[in-house]
Amino acid sequence: MSETFVPNHGGDPSVWPTFNYVEQVLSEIDDGDAPWAKRWTYLASEGNQVGQVTLYDDGTTDTVWTSYGPDIVRRRLTDASDVEPWLSRDIYYQAPGVLKATIRLEDSLLERVVTYDAEGHLQERITHDHGDVAPWTSWAFFYDGETAVAREIVYDNGLVDLERTDFAEGVHLTKQRDAGDVYAWEEKLVLTVGPDLLDLWDINPRTGAVGRNMFEYLPPEEIFNWFQGSTVVYAFERQDNGDTFWSISVDGTQTRTFEVDGDGTYPWVSRGLVYDTEGMVTRQILTMADSRIIQTTFVDGNRTVRVEDDAGDRYDWSSWRYEFNADGEFSRTERRDDDGIVTVSDYDETGGRSRQEVTDTRDLFRWQSKVMSWDADGDLTQSVVTYDSGVVFTTTYDDGVVLSRVAEDRSDRYAWDRRDWTYDADGRQTDFTETVDLL
């Protein structure tokens, strides 16, 4: 006979079994004593059995495939007479008595598939809804030994819902993906890690490699870090418009969030927030659309320091630093320009500027520094200019009018030590005094 033999058992040919290397077929008909009506046994060379088909009295059919002997490698049961709640059952073996997989097709067209590992331990249970009798298309459980460590549901609307606990004891992951595009988001992820595992995991915030490559999403390293001895819950969400959101909670308290604006809704590209144990924001990091990076710190909900860096070099300054008092008013500002000029301004309790110092750090001008002071009314009271020559020039004012000027030769470059000018209330010079060097 041919290497592939398809016996004719009547009925639908598509369900006839296929046997290989059949050289002999033994047919049996029951005389009434056995629970079956007919049986066919298929033999290869030297009488080695390769398969057997049994037609039972109740209409069910039992088909087995064997490996040149009595050891069954596959068995198939079919219920043509509808006496069972299933249409067919398939059983696969990888060794005598060691299961490889089972497939059961219910009358409702629910198909239940169970697979086993090389040692016969339970590996997966998957149910497919071919008859559309459930709100999902498939439901799967994954096992480690006899313990279910993961569950995945694919719903009719395309939603994929995954839950995993197979990474290590104390690690739990849930992940959802909107494959059907029925929600305003694309995917969500929540990871919980127990307190005894954090130091065992190799974390790369840039590549997303965590331990056994558990997931691929991590926020930037400036906002993300693990917490030793704590239970950490990490969440991720990506919206349809490209917005992404991360959050980290430690021992039930949210500690960090990070957002990326995917469609240009906000003036910032990304925003990171750090929280204290009371849920108050302690730090905010903004990356602006113009490449500025703005970092703000808070104490008890009040802004204390704000730092802006011109990371994209789009402005004539490299950084701004703002300090605030308890009332939220400026207490100090510092501006660093691209040409090396540094301007530091101090403010009083009402937010009025009281002092300003400008420093030429790159020696671009004839002076080294300029210091100006103002009174509570905002009127200039004094200015001090230190020149590259070492001369210090101090001017005092009253209601904006010059009262006096003093020049001091602190580097001893000139023949005089000090020069004084005085003025009247109208700003007219009234006196001049010069102190010269002594020989």
Side-chain angles (χ1 to χ4, degrees):
M1 293 186 178
S2 65
E3 289 187 351
T4 301
F5 179 74
V6 181
N8 186 346
H9 298 132
D12 184 1
S14 66
V15 301
W16 295 344
T18 299
F19 300 101
N20 296 325
Y21 309 107
V22 174
E23 294 189 1
Q24 184 179 5
V25 181
L26 302 179
S27 300
E28 301 175 73
I29 299 177
D30 175 37
D31 60 4
D33 295 332
W36 48 267
K38 297 180 181 181
R39 173 177 288 169
W40 297 266
T41 303
Y42 301 92
L43 306 176
S45 60
E46 300 180 358
N48 291 318
Q49 180 176 313
V50 295
Q52 188 178 75
V53 178
T54 302
L55 178 62
Y56 287 93
D57 295 338
D58 61 4
T60 59
T61 302
D62 182 5
T63 303
V64 297
W65 286 258
T66 55
S67 179
Y68 297 93
D71 295 336
I72 298 175
V73 295
R74 178 186 174 190
R75 163 172 259 135
R76 179 177 178 83
L77 303 172
T78 58
D79 179 25
S81 299
D82 197 21
V83 296
E84 300 288 347
W86 43 264
L87 296 173
S88 65
R89 294 173 60 190
D90 287 89
I91 306 171
Y92 297 83
Y93 297 89
Q94 50 193 333
V98 180
L99 288 173
K100 181 179 182 180
T102 64
I103 304 174
R104 172 172 169 150
L105 181 62
E106 309 281 355
D107 290 343
S108 62
L109 298 184
L110 287 176
E111 182 184 49
R112 305 185 186 276
V113 181
V114 182
T115 61
Y116 301 83
D117 63 18
E119 298 178 352
H121 299 139
L122 183 61
Q123 193 172 42
E124 297 178 352
R125 291 183 183 271
I126 304 175
T127 303
H128 300 280
D129 179 22
H130 298 299
D132 197 20
V133 296
W136 41 264
T137 57
S138 67
W139 188 308
F141 287 94
F142 305 91
Y143 293 82
D144 182 4
E146 296 297 322
T147 304
V149 294
R151 182 263 303 148
E152 182 182 69
I153 305 173
V154 180
Y155 291 92
D156 291 343
N157 62 4
L159 175 64
V160 181
D161 191 348
L162 172 67
E163 181 178 11
R164 300 184 65 175
T165 59
D166 61 324
F167 304 108
E169 184 180 356
V171 178
H172 183 264
L173 171 70
T174 62
K175 182 177 179 180
Q176 292 181 311
R177 181 167 53 89
D178 180 23
D181 196 21
V182 295
Y183 300 100
W185 50 268
E186 294 181 3
E187 55 187 329
K188 297 180 180 181
L189 178 146
V190 177
L191 169 70
T192 303
V193 181
D196 299 327
L197 298 171
L198 299 180
D199 57 347
L200 305 178
W201 295 67
D202 179 23
I203 301 164
N204 187 326
R206 288 307 179 199
T207 64
V210 181
R212 292 159 55 188
N213 198 21
M214 186 175 357
F215 56 87
E216 66 271 28
Y217 314 101
L218 279 177
E221 55 192 348
E222 64 263 20
I223 200 73
F224 176 80
N225 65 284
W226 285 113
F227 300 83
Q228 298 295 327
S230 302
T231 297
V232 179
V233 178
Y234 163 82
F236 168 86
E237 181 174 329
R238 179 184 289 118
Q239 301 287 326
D240 288 343
N241 62 1
D243 290 355
T244 51
F245 179 81
W246 293 266
S247 71
I248 300 174
S249 298
V250 178
D251 294 334
T253 300
Q254 183 171 261
T255 61
R256 281 162 169 73
T257 61
F258 190 84
E259 301 174 71
V260 173
D261 178 23
D263 62 356
T265 302
Y266 302 101
W268 46 263
V269 176
S270 66
R271 179 175 68 175
L273 297 175
V274 181
Y275 304 84
D276 62 18
T277 56
E278 302 298 326
M280 302 288 287
V281 174
T282 61
R283 184 183 177 201
Q284 175 181 260
I285 303 173
L286 297 177
T287 300
M288 309 302 290
D290 60 5
S291 299
R292 284 178 300 144
I293 297 177
I294 303 175
Q295 301 190 50
T296 308
T297 58
F298 301 84
V299 175
D300 295 331
N302 296 317
R303 182 174 53 177
T304 58
V305 178
R306 172 188 170 109
V307 178
E308 295 188 32
D309 292 304
D310 180 23
D313 196 20
R314 302 185 60 176
Y315 300 94
D316 59 358
W317 49 267
S318 59
S319 68
W320 270 97
R321 177 185 173 90
Y322 307 88
E323 297 180 13
F324 304 87
N325 59 27
D327 297 324
E329 302 286 350
F330 286 131
S331 61
R332 169 172 281 199
T333 63
E334 178 183 297
R335 169 176 168 147
R336 294 182 175 270
D337 292 323
D338 293 340
D339 60 6
I341 297 298
V342 177
T343 305
V344 178
S345 301
D346 294 313
Y347 300 83
D348 59 25
E349 294 80 0
T350 64
R353 185 171 53 177
S354 59
R355 184 179 184 275
Q356 183 178 82
E357 180 175 358
V358 182
T359 306
D360 176 21
T361 63
R362 296 184 183 175
D363 198 19
L364 299 178
F365 303 96
R366 296 173 53 195
W367 48 269
Q368 297 176 12
S369 66
K370 295 180 179 180
V371 179
M372 290 165 283
S373 302
W374 290 266
D375 60 21
D377 296 325
D379 294 326
L380 184 64
T381 59
Q382 186 183 71
S383 67
V384 180
V385 181
T386 301
Y387 290 92
D388 294 340
S389 63
V391 173
V392 178
F393 206 94
T394 303
T395 304
T396 59
Y397 302 84
D398 184 20
D399 290 333
V401 179
V402 177
L403 289 180
S404 66
R405 296 181 190 274
V406 177
E408 298 174 87
D409 179 21
R410 296 184 180 178
S411 62
D412 199 20
R413 296 186 60 178
Y414 301 99
W416 49 268
D417 285 336
R418 177 184 174 107
R419 288 176 173 176
D420 291 80
W421 294 264
T422 57
Y423 302 85
D424 61 20
D426 296 323
R428 292 188 296 266
Q429 182 177 329
T430 59
D431 194 16
F432 171 74
T433 303
E434 181 178 78
T435 304
V436 299
D437 295 335
L438 296 177
L439 296 178

